[in-house]
Amino acid sequence: MAFLFSLLVIALMIGALIDIITRDSSLVKFLPKLAWIIIVILLPLIGGLLWFGLGREYGESGIQMPRMRRAERPAAPTDVRPAPPRDTRTTEQQIADLDREIEEWRLRQEIEKNRGTDGEGSTGPVGSA
């Protein structure tokens, strides 16, 4: 297994060296060709990978990387419903309003009760003597 790995590293190094030497200087990125040759010789695995990943300029005839197109999103249906009303009162204001409503309902029930008893013959408000 180590023998196979060594062969792959040597093949990568030789391929990178041949590619560096035969490539035009204008197609070499980041470092001069001589620096790339030294890196590939001193660090065969890392240098070869760096050369093919970073140092080599791929032209039109080089490796074509397929680019994924972004899928166009369908237009979201517009919501034509009106927004629900928002209550801007504080909690204390809401509680006070509810207390007033409860008191109003209590008074209405008392008035209705008094009207019912007024029809039976009592003459005057409740509690009057």
Side-chain angles (χ1 to χ4, degrees):
M1 186 70 178
F3 178 72
L4 182 62
F5 180 72
S6 299
L7 283 178
L8 288 174
V9 171
I10 291 171
L12 178 67
M13 181 181 79
I14 292 172
L17 286 173
I18 291 171
D19 193 40
I20 294 170
I21 294 169
T22 59
R23 185 157 298 275
D24 187 34
S25 293
S26 64
L27 298 176
V28 176
K29 296 192 302 187
F30 300 114
L31 295 172
K33 286 171 67 169
L34 184 61
W36 279 113
I37 291 171
I38 293 171
I39 290 173
V40 170
I41 290 173
L42 292 178
L43 304 167
L45 178 63
I46 297 172
L49 292 175
L50 285 174
W51 166 250
F52 286 113
L54 299 175
R56 185 173 194 259
E57 180 75 39
Y58 293 97
E60 296 282 330
S61 62
I63 298 174
Q64 296 294 322
M65 299 293 285
R67 296 194 181 238
M68 308 252 326
R69 287 189 346 201
R70 288 187 178 174
E72 296 196 20
R73 295 181 186 166
T78 55
D79 192 13
V80 292
R81 293 179 291 158
R86 291 184 53 206
D87 195 358
T88 57
R89 299 176 295 172
T90 65
T91 304
E92 290 81 14
Q93 291 171 334
Q94 291 176 0
I95 291 173
D97 290 343
L98 287 174
D99 286 340
R100 279 193 290 274
E101 279 185 46
I102 291 170
E103 183 63 24
E104 181 181 339
W105 280 101
R106 190 186 63 74
L107 288 174
R108 283 186 184 180
Q109 286 179 343
E110 190 176 316
I111 289 172
E112 289 295 321
K113 188 182 202 182
N114 287 340
R115 283 187 188 160
T117 57
D118 283 346
E120 295 176 4
S122 88
T123 60
V126 176
S128 60

